[in-house]
């Protein structure tokens, strides 16, 4: 038997105990895991230092090294995350719906754990504790397949978490690490029936690989080519503030805006204000011909503004930059904005800025993305902001879960049917 | 561009109009489709006669021909099914949850159609109208890939449905047929991004093929190796009645019982009654050694009873017979029954017969199947019986939908977020 099959079978056995564990047991385990992380800070930071040294030797970019690096404050943050999970409602056992059938059968649809969840992620060791905690709270045994560049860190963290879980009476195998070699991840993706769902967390490349190669059901997360549309009836002050916030408040994340659409009726007025403001914020605008022309015609244009606007290619409109870049186009109507979004969006988050009730209603109806926002920043599409308390990722697929995934999205359901001898006739 | 890609793109365009169609428009289309089926009964039955003749010439088993064959009564039944759908609540637009965030943002999670749904099914032309109706009512454009042996029937039905949809103002492309050649179905299974979900309806072989080869998300339906467990505290009269109903009321369907487990404390008493009753109902019991011995030791055993019991192989316990066969084993405890079910069940429906509240609670907690039943027949796991009004299939997977899938299960959701200038700080 291969190592992955063996790990998955052990996870399955552990999942039976975990599925029946009470909230009190699971919360005690989360607190024990948090305390153990804090107690073992030195060991974890020392293991992480090896990964960081290896990464630096390999010439890894410093931004990647920063995501990889742990210090006592970051370990404390991981522990605090687990404690926060302990405070959240247990999704398992929630009655989603229930009623009595005409024949007297009592029907209840209740939330149950998936069973075994695989998480495939990149070189961010904090995800190890975070994903383990979310899976444990939702009653799922987890197989954690992190990056080889974080192998020492993850090994240290997983050892601590397993011991802590076991100390509270849960099987250690509720949390297991998966070897980081390519063969192992391929096997994990083919373990249909043994692994109930795979969740890739990371960049578009990782997600596309998992989606393309996995026979285990996958939940896609996190690719966001988000749009801000300034309607003909927009409050332009409010539009500018929301655009700047959506683009620049944290440009590296999936709910940051990547594309601006402006209705032609307000384009010259809005662009005359927005282009200098974007340039001042360090944003490079990849504009369609109208936007490029606007940048030149603006009487107030300075050299800095012109430097901030370049001609967009077709590819720009489909790009998730994750940087201080923004594609921009002028559209003739709200319908054209909808068409543009249907063509280019990744289905994450789109915002309309308008004072018109009809325009807001039309946009929210016609745009089919995980989140459709009226008069607010795209940056709110987030499990924390939505009040979920925890988030395993933001689903951009339509099956099972769409948008921020909290604890309930980490469960399946089953029907419990109680009778007193009913048969079908 | 391949024909499938072209069909899928047309379905996508049609889906935009359908997603925004009011319930009144969709119900009018369903009524028009029903009326058109009735009006065109002769054309449909004549087309079907060609398929039936071809099938008979090819030596197709008469049971398969029976599922393929249409007559005026069956066409009327298809029409009645569409009319019934028109009477059901529209799932689109339902607010699943909603609240106001601390910053004043109004958040609503609302049901929206998937978009484009592909149905892959076998030689049952009634599925064509049924699936088209369920998809239309739930706002989804549908690509129908039926069996080549029903090609003439399906072509006639789809032509009628398309004309009727168009007559009420919807695009004809809300319903499209897919060529039945093998290359076309392969392309359909690879049309990720163009097709939102594939639902195979049919036997285990079809479903496994689609699950294994598709990169489009799949909802697995319908494989049922269902168990009836007679607990130590069972009312044996009630247990026998439920067992016979679960096994024999309609043995060919997925919610029929395929396996009997009996607690050893009541095994000899129960089997002494059940084995003759099963034999009298024409059931062949594939028993473990204890069951085989019981069949011989039963003082009331007749030749008929003995003929009804054969020795089970390991494979029997994992088999969905869909016939008058039943595997049977004696277990030492409820925990052993749970272990047996975990090992062999397909996760469809399992029933316990018991008067013990503790046993019922333990069984419903420990058994993880789409439906867990106490003191009632397994045959109730059905969209109609559960009160859903319509059913596209019974999901045996854990992602998205589990158990009978009605109209809400044919939708995704999106978040609508309404603000007045909120930005993240």
């Amino acid at each position: 038997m291969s190592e992955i099959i063996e790990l998955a079978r052990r996870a399955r056995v552990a999942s039976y105990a975990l599925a029946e564990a009470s909230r009190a047991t699971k919360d005690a385990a989360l607190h024990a895991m948090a305390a153990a992380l804090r107690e073992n800070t030195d060991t974890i930071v020392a293991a992480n230092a090896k990964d960081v040294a290896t990464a630096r030797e390999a010439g890894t970019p410093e931004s990647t090294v920063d995501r990889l690096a742990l210090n006592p404050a970051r370990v404390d943050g991981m522990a605090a995350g687990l404690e926060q999970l302990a405070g959240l409602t247990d999704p398992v056992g929630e009655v989603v719906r229930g009623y009595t059938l005409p024949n007297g059968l009592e029907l209840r649809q209740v939330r149950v754990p998936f069973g075994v969840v695989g998480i495939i992620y990149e070189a961010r060791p904090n995800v190890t504790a975070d994903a383990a905690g979310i899976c444990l709270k939702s009653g799922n045994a987890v197989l954690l397949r992190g990056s080889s560049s974080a192998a020492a860190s993850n090994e240290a963290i997983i050892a601590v978490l397993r011991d802590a879980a076991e100390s509270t009476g849960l099987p250690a195998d509720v949390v297991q690490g998966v070897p980081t070699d390519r063969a192992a991840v391929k096997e994990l993706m083919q373990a249909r029936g043994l692994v109930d769902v795979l969740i890739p967390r990371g960049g578009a490349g990782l997600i596309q690989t998992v989606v393309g190669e996995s026979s285990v059901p996958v939940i896609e997360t996190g690719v966001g080519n988000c749009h801000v549309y300034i309607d003909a009836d927009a409050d332009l002050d409010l539009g500018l503030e929301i655009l700047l916030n959506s683009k620049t408040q944290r440009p590296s994340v999936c709910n940051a805006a990547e594309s601006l659409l402006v209705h032609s009726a307000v384009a010259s007025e809005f662009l005359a204000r927005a282009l200098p403001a974007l340039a001042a914020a360090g944003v490079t605008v990849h504009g369609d011909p109208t936007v490029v022309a606007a940048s030149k015609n603006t009487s107030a244009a300075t050299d800095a503004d012109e430097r901030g606007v370049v001609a967009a290619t077709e590819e720009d409109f489909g790009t998730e930059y994750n940087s201080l870049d923004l594609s921009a186009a002028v559209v003739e109507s709200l319908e054209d904005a909808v068409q543009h979004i249907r063509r280019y969006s990744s289905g994450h988050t789109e915002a309309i800025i308008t004072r018109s009730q009809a325009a807001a209603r039309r946009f929210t109806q016609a745009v089919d993305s995980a989140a459709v926002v009226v008069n607010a920043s795209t940056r709110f599409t987030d499990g924390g902001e939505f009040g979920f308390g925890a988030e395993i990722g933001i689903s951009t697929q339509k099956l099972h879960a769409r948008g921020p995934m909290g604890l309930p999205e980490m469960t399946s359901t089953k029907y419990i049917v109680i009778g007193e001898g009913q048969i079908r006739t």
Side-chain angles (χ1 to χ4, degrees), chain A residues 23 216 223 303 350 384 410 419:
Chain A
R23 174 173 172 181
V216 175
V223 176
D303 283 355
E350 331 296 341
M410 294 297 288

Side-chain angles (χ1 to χ4, degrees), chain A residues 272 275-280 283 285 295 298 300-310:
Chain A
L275 295 180
L278 288 162
V283 176
V285 173
S295 77
T298 303
T302 66
D303 283 355
D305 305 337
E306 288 182 40
R307 275 203 311 277
V309 180
V310 300

Side-chain angles (χ1 to χ4, degrees), chain A residues 67 93-94 100 112 122 168 173 189 202 238 299 324 328 335 380 383 395 422:
Chain A
R67 285 198 292 273
E94 183 197 346
T100 302
V112 295
E122 294 174 337
T168 60
D173 287 340
M189 293 192 287
L238 192 142
S299 60
L324 284 173
E335 292 308 316
F380 287 109
S395 166
Q422 282 87 344

Side-chain angles (χ1 to χ4, degrees), chain A residues 19-64:
Chain A
E20 294 179 34
S22 67
R23 174 173 172 181
T25 301
K26 293 189 285 189
D27 290 350
L30 288 166
H31 281 293
M33 288 157 77
L37 285 177
R38 289 203 178 93
E39 276 160 31
N40 291 279
T41 299
D42 292 351
T43 314
I44 292 167
V45 171
N48 179 255
K50 289 184 215 162
D51 288 332
V52 167
T54 308
R56 286 224 169 92
E57 276 162 33
T60 306
E62 205 53 30
S63 62
T64 308

